[in-house]
């Protein structure tokens, strides 16, 4: 039994482990604590483990007899023949403070116990077991929510951005604090579009706090879940379990825990890759329309200063180019704002009675009028009478425009596109069909995922952030409907 208890310490997850009998006396002392033995019946972690069944209990932080800050995890185990004991694992808060996090070095990370506000971990590696500094910056109820982002001021009056997230199934909260200027520095470099990108920066800050919270939560959950999963066999053994009692099953739980950590790290890398891809695409797409916009304006300025006037036809062509680039910027910013609203739960509808037939005709006329080369390419099949319902007219306009623009964008020049609107069983069905590049079958299930592009769509890149279809799906589902795409394969067209 002594060897098995020490094996838990040897895995590196705990700084000390010991075993107590039902009366609190030490059965197996810890070598890390100089094999100190005694009666721990008056300790809260022993009493909670005895009365808490098979659950794992996480203690409040405390100082050991050696003056070291510690927390312990305790649980009741069965030794056989009706005998029960309490298994205790201790974790040094000093060692926890040395673990790296995903946060930038310029950010301040705190971990504290909500029961009494005691600091468990701090970026500055000091002040453990004191009151958490963030509690002096915000009112007591500001951190009551499971997660969120708040503004605060430090002692010098500087504005701070405070992101917090509660560690699931514990009494702990992770707080990431940064000066507002540092938090929004990447966004301010985007110049005139700082107002539009600020919403995205807030979403990125929230995601950052979630990633940091998930990283800390994984470390803490593995300690607790390793105890809680005593009856769950591990899929891959990394530490050999000897015997067939609860301690051996606990060792198997650690093997399973290691595999879960590997999977979680893979998901984090994929999430970071998606974020970097989005920032790269956003920078490129915002810069693309600015170049012709600036060139056209400079041409108009030079001609105005030289006194040489433009013909009405050239003026109209220049203004049309400017309008197209401004419209493109407006759509890009609108898509980013919509995604921000989706992630924060603020994507709402303003429904009112409206005629869908009239809206479809209006969308078709607007698309054809903006680009003369599109005249006659889009056909419309609608009922003769109106189709009236309670919908959000602005969002349905956005839906139809996105689907028709996508069909034209990914179709060869001169290829027709058909939009059909009809009533079926008390509901309205809208089809947008093209004869364009089509979609591979393996890409159809992920087509409405944000930032996703089918393989052949990437080869025929036509701009955009890859957000349009994700927004379309949200609009349809918020109206109680569903959207899907069908295609027989590349080169055979698509129907939404």
């Amino acid at each position: 039994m002594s060897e098995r208890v020490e094996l838990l310490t040897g895995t590196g997850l705990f700084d000390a482990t010991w075993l107590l009998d039902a009366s609190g006396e030490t059965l197996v002392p810890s070598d890390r604590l100089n094999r100190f033995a005694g009666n721990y019946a008056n300790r809260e972690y022993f009493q909670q483990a005895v009365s808490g069944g098979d659950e794992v209990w996480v203690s409040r932080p405390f100082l050991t007899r050696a003056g070291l800050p510690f927390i312990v995890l305790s649980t009741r185990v069965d030794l056989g023949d009706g005998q029960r004991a309490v298994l205790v694992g201790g974790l040094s808060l000093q060692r926890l403070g040395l673990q790296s996090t995903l946060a930038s070095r310029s950010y301040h990370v705190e971990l504290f116990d909500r029961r009494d506000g005691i600091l468990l971990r701090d970026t500055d590696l000091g002040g453990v077991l004191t009151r958490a500094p963030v509690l002096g910056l915000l009112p007591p109820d500001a951190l009551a929510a499971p997660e969120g982002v708040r503004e605060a001021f430090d002692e010098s009056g500087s504005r701070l951005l405070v992101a917090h997230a509660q560690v699931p199934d514990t009494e702990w909260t992770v707080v990431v604090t940064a000066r507002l200027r540092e938090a929004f520095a990447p966004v301010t470099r985007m110049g005139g579009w700082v107002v539009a990108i600020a919403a995205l920066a807030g979403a990125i800050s929230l995601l950052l706090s979630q990633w940091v919270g998930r990283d800390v939560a994984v470390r803490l959950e593995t300690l607790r879940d390793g105890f809680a999963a005593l009856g769950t066999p591990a899929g891959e053994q990394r530490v050999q379990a000897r015997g067939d009692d609860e301690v051996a099953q606990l060792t198997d739980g650690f093997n399973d825990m290691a595999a879960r950590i590997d999977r979680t790290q893979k998901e984090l890398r994929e999430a970071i890759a998606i974020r970097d891809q989005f920032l790269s695409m956003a920078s490129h797409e915002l810069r693309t329309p600015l170049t012709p916009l600036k060139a056209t304006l400079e041409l108009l300025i030079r001609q105005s200063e030289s006194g040489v006037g433009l013909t009405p036809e050239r003026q109209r062509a220049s203004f049309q180019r400017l309008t197209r680039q401004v419209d493109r910027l407006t759509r890009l910013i609108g898509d980013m704002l919509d995604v921000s609203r989706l992630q924060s739960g603020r994507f709402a509808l303003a429904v009112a009675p409206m005629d869908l037939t009239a809206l479809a005709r209006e969308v078709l006329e607007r698309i054809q009028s903006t680009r003369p080369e599109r005249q006659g390419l889009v056909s419309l099949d609608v009922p003769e009478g109106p189709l009236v319902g309670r919908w959000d007219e602005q969002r349905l306009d956005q839906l139809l425009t996105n689907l028709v623009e996508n069909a034209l964008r990914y179709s060869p020049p001169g290829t027709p596109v058909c939009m059909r609107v009809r009533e079926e069983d008390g509901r309205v069905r809208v089809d947008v069909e093209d004869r364009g590049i089509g979609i591979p079958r393996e890409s159809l299930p992920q087509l409405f995922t944000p930032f996703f592009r089918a393989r052949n769509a990437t080869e025929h890149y036509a701009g955009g952030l890859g957000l349009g279809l994700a927004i379309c799906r949200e609009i349809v589902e918020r109206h109680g409907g569903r959207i899907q795409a069908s295609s027989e394969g590349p080169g055979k067209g698509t129907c939404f």
Side-chain angles (χ1 to χ4, degrees):
M1 181 61 71
S2 176
E3 294 178 354
R4 296 173 185 173
V5 172
E6 289 302 322
L7 180 62
L8 299 179
T9 305
T11 61
L13 294 172
F14 298 100
D15 295 283
T17 55
W18 60 96
L19 192 67
L20 307 176
D21 64 13
S23 63
E25 292 291 340
T26 304
L27 288 178
V28 179
S30 173
D31 288 339
R32 299 289 180 88
L33 300 179
N34 297 324
R35 302 191 65 80
F36 180 83
N39 189 292
Y40 294 88
N42 62 335
R43 296 298 178 92
E44 184 181 12
Y45 60 79
F46 173 79
Q47 297 171 0
Q48 291 290 344
V50 170
S51 61
D54 294 331
E55 296 181 358
V56 177
W57 187 78
V58 182
S59 75
R60 299 173 187 265
F62 64 92
L63 286 175
T64 65
R65 301 186 181 204
L68 300 176
F70 253 68
I71 60 168
V72 298
L73 289 84
S74 59
T75 186
R76 190 170 63 186
V77 296
D78 188 359
L79 300 180
D81 297 330
Q83 297 183 8
R84 292 184 177 274
V86 174
L87 182 62
V88 184
L91 175 63
S92 170
L93 295 182
Q94 291 180 345
R95 188 166 68 89
L96 179 64
L98 298 176
Q99 298 295 325
S100 62
T101 68
L102 296 178
S104 170
R105 293 184 177 180
S106 61
Y107 291 175
H108 186 84
V109 181
E110 297 177 25
L111 176 66
F112 69 90
D113 193 316
R114 293 191 301 275
R115 290 172 289 192
D116 46 19
I118 294 299
L119 186 66
L120 303 178
R121 178 201 172 128
D122 186 71
T123 303
D124 299 332
L125 301 180
V128 177
L129 297 190
T130 62
R131 185 168 177 81
V134 70
L135 298 179
L137 301 177
L138 294 173
D141 59 343
L143 303 177
E147 60 184 32
V149 178
R150 301 290 297 267
E151 283 192 20
F153 294 88
D154 61 12
E155 296 178 354
S156 64
S158 300
R159 297 177 67 186
L160 303 176
L161 192 66
V162 181
H164 65 91
Q166 295 180 1
V167 179
D169 300 326
T170 70
E171 296 293 335
W172 298 348
T173 294
V174 179
V175 180
V176 180
T177 307
R179 294 185 181 275
L180 199 62
R181 179 179 300 176
E182 296 176 357
F184 288 91
V187 182
T188 56
R189 287 194 292 266
M190 301 184 72
W193 304 107
V194 63
V195 176
I197 304 301
L200 178 61
I204 293 176
S205 298
L206 180 58
L207 287 176
L208 177 61
S209 69
Q210 292 175 340
W211 289 331
V212 174
R214 188 180 299 117
D215 178 65
V216 176
V218 166
R219 293 191 181 99
L220 299 176
E221 286 176 2
T222 52
L223 298 177
R224 185 184 64 255
D225 293 343
F227 285 93
L230 292 175
T232 303
E236 178 185 356
Q237 292 189 358
R238 300 189 180 186
V239 179
Q240 184 178 1
R242 288 176 286 180
D244 192 25
D245 54 10
E246 283 79 2
V247 177
Q249 294 175 1
L250 181 60
T251 305
D252 290 338
F254 283 116
N255 296 329
D256 180 62
M257 178 180 56
R260 295 178 186 177
I261 292 177
D262 291 340
R263 291 194 297 269
T264 303
Q265 290 177 341
K266 180 179 179 181
E267 293 174 358
L268 287 174
R269 287 193 294 269
E270 293 175 353
I272 294 174
I274 292 175
R275 180 200 62 184
D276 294 341
Q277 179 186 7
F278 170 73
L279 291 177
S280 175
M281 289 191 302
S283 300
H284 173 74
E285 290 298 328
L286 289 173
R287 191 182 297 111
T288 298
L290 287 176
T291 301
L293 190 64
K294 181 180 179 182
T296 304
L297 289 173
E298 290 177 347
L299 175 62
L300 292 175
I301 292 173
R302 286 197 301 270
Q303 290 176 341
S304 175
E305 292 175 348
S306 64
V308 179
L310 293 176
T311 64
E313 291 77 10
R314 295 192 62 185
Q315 285 184 348
R316 183 164 49 255
S318 298
F319 291 148
Q320 288 176 347
R321 287 196 300 271
L322 291 174
T323 300
R324 283 197 299 270
Q325 299 307 325
V326 171
D327 290 342
R328 182 176 180 181
L329 285 172
T330 302
R331 288 194 301 271
L332 289 172
I333 296 172
D335 286 348
M336 289 188 289
L337 288 175
D338 283 341
V339 169
S340 176
R341 295 189 187 102
L342 290 177
Q343 293 175 338
S344 60
R346 295 183 289 107
F347 191 90
L349 301 179
V351 297
M354 58 158 291
D355 181 7
L356 186 58
T357 300
L359 177 63
R361 292 194 179 99
E362 179 184 339
V363 170
L364 179 60
E365 292 174 0
R366 183 176 65 248
I367 291 176
Q368 291 183 334
S369 64
T370 55
R371 300 285 290 273
E373 66 272 14
R374 296 177 175 177
Q375 291 289 340
L377 293 182
V378 184
S379 61
L380 180 62
D381 181 8
V382 295
E384 296 182 359
L387 284 176
V388 179
R390 289 183 59 81
W391 303 303
D392 187 325
E393 183 172 359
Q394 180 181 356
R395 292 300 183 183
L396 291 188
D397 186 307
Q398 181 182 5
L399 168 69
L400 297 179
T401 302
N402 278 350
L403 293 179
V404 175
E405 288 282 1
N406 271 0
L408 292 170
R409 185 181 298 119
Y410 292 105
S411 296
T415 304
V417 172
C418 178
M419 179 166 62
R420 294 183 294 271
V421 181
R422 60 183 181 273
E423 183 177 1
E424 287 186 357
D425 299 329
R427 302 172 70 88
V428 175
R429 177 188 178 101
V430 179
D431 294 291
V432 178
E433 185 174 5
D434 64 65
R435 303 176 186 175
I437 64 174
I439 302 172
R441 293 184 181 275
E442 65 272 13
S443 298
L444 288 174
Q446 298 177 275
L447 196 60
F448 298 96
T449 303
F451 315 121
F452 177 78
R453 295 179 185 274
R455 171 173 42 82
N456 58 339
T458 304
E459 297 170 356
H460 297 78
Y461 179 67
L465 298 174
L467 301 174
L469 290 180
I471 295 173
C472 288
R473 181 182 64 179
E474 188 69 19
I475 292 173
V476 172
E477 292 180 350
R478 287 297 179 97
H479 281 88
R482 60 186 179 89
I483 185 172
Q484 60 185 25
S486 60
S487 176
E488 296 183 1
K492 297 183 180 181
T494 307
C495 180
F496 286 88

